[in-house]
Amino acid sequence: MSELKRTQFYDIHVKAGATMVDFGGWEMPIQYPEGIVAEHLYTRSVCSLFDVSHMGRLLIEGPERLAFLQHVLSSNAAALDVNQAQYCIIPAEDGSAVDDAYLYRFEEDRFLLVVNAANTDKDLAYFAPIVKNYDCTIKNITDVTVSIAVQGPKSGEMLKVLAGGVEVTKPSRNSLSTMDLEGHTVRIARTGYTAEPIGYELFLKNEDAEWAWNRLCELGAKPAGLGARDTLRMEGMLPLYGDEMGVDEDGKPMPIFALALAKFAVSFDEAKGDFVGREALKKQADAQASFKAKNYSPEAMAALPKRVRPIALVDRGVMRHGMAVYRNGEQIGWVTSGTMIPYFMTEGEGENVRLLPETGKRAIGICYIASDVPLNGEVEVDVRGKRLKAVIPSKHISNNVPPYVVPVMAKHN
Amino acid sequence: MTINPDLKYSRDHEWVKEEDGLFVIGISDFAQDALGDLVFVNLPEVGDAVTAGEAFGDVESVKAVSDLLCPVTGTVAEINEELLDAPEKLNEDPYGAWIIKVENVTASEDLLDAAAYEAFCAEA
């Protein structure tokens, strides 16, 4: 294990009794003693802390930084004002993903690009020959900074305490700020990977790591590991590179527009101009729009044969990554992510939603299947030799009204 | 970790108790702790043949699936259906939450008593 990298929080994780695993070359906590189910539910009801310091943090600086980013990212970076962030994908020429990323503009004259830990080296190697053509540089600051995700209904209130009673960012998603918290300069983003209606990601200097973690724990936050991070993002249909992005089980590249959220991550704005993969992505985007109008023409099916969809098991069992999905006996794709995920029963609607003490659990996940499977369509999953019934719902949760995530149960006959 | 002194144990961390000619089988506290939060249990059906050293079902945690290995050869007489809806009982009360009862037992693995099992776990 000696060659594995460790974040500034390693000792804190071990002291808290975390089970440490190799994740993308980093020794990271998969769970703490309370376990993944408790950590998932604590995030949904109170607030969890996730060490996300392993993720690649790259500073893009120099006069032609914007032109470079417009060329290598799917999003329109020119649309970002200072103190705004956007989700984006690093496209390949064929319209598949090299990686997905988040672009932050905390300062006028530089961008921060956060990429997947396991892909950091690959992304840097991919950027290297391209960035040479622009008057700008990429500085990897992963080792000299840390990052903590603070996610859940109470996250905003906890950070407000550290800020001496003021809101740390604007309430809208993707807002950023740079704040003095108890004498420490912290960059704060209203972003996250848990699908929580309220959640933040903090970027700090290495020397502020322990202070931030311990203070947030004192205020009632609890640490959560990569296991809960995975179940939370899965419930929220947030893609993970390697599962819902990259190559499929047959080794074929997965088109970016197989993801519903591609329409928010890819811009064909004139201001952006040409960029890597634009031509392929335009065809995929047209196909996605045509599916939305329930038009499954041969052209659209050829451009986007499969899509990433939620899947819920109807029969007893648990789905896992890689299991085959069938429709009328014909294989139409695979489960890309799946497990048994806990949820709170709720009562009331909209902003009056209340979490009840009762919890349930459901075998849900994400699949990559033939694009023409309709909403609530019935399929079967091969769960270790048994064909189990499953259904394709529109989503697993509703998270548009803060502060609580509300489970959405799949409909089936 | 707790070890129930009245039970016998397999090297695969299942416990066995003989009760009125039936062999009652469950998993040890060591096993449930190593497996983590259990969220699903696959059980055999009553009447199924089970073989010592082979899988008779499996348990799933959030992250992984693990086979349950049968310490005896025989026929499934009863299954604990309560576990289908509440697999967490295996975490909460491993020595109370039996999994299956086996009848017509013709063979058994070489089982450990509580003291030998404790020593076995200490080496694991």
Side-chain angles (χ1 to χ4, degrees), chain B residues 1-52:
Chain B
M1 183 188 71
T2 62
I3 291 177
N4 185 322
D6 303 328
L7 304 173
K8 291 198 165 174
Y9 297 87
S10 75
R11 287 168 177 81
D12 301 307
H13 305 284
E14 272 86 20
W15 59 257
V16 181
K17 181 170 68 171
E18 244 191 287
E19 194 181 80
D20 305 327
L22 293 178
F23 285 68
V24 187
I25 294 164
I27 61 170
S28 73
D29 189 36
F30 181 94
Q32 72 76 23
D33 187 59
L35 292 164
D37 287 343
L38 294 175
V39 293
F40 192 71
V41 182
N42 258 311
L43 299 178
E45 289 179 15
V46 171
D48 282 0
V50 290
T51 307

Side-chain angles (χ1 to χ4, degrees), chain B residues 37-85:
Chain B
D37 287 343
L38 294 175
V39 293
F40 192 71
V41 182
N42 258 311
L43 299 178
E45 289 179 15
V46 171
D48 282 0
V50 290
T51 307
E54 290 184 13
F56 67 91
D58 53 60
V59 288
E60 305 208 19
S61 70
V62 175
K63 295 306 289 180
V65 188
S66 308
D67 280 337
L68 293 166
L69 299 177
C70 203
V72 298
T73 299
T75 312
V76 178
E78 282 183 59
I79 60 171
N80 185 355
E81 290 189 11
E82 193 192 4
L83 295 178
L84 296 173
D85 288 319

Side-chain angles (χ1 to χ4, degrees), chain A residues 15 28 68 145 147 161-163 201 348 403 406:
Chain A
K15 210 171 140 194
M28 298 298 291
F68 167 70
T145 54
S147 188
V161 171
L162 297 186
E201 289 174 302
V406 177

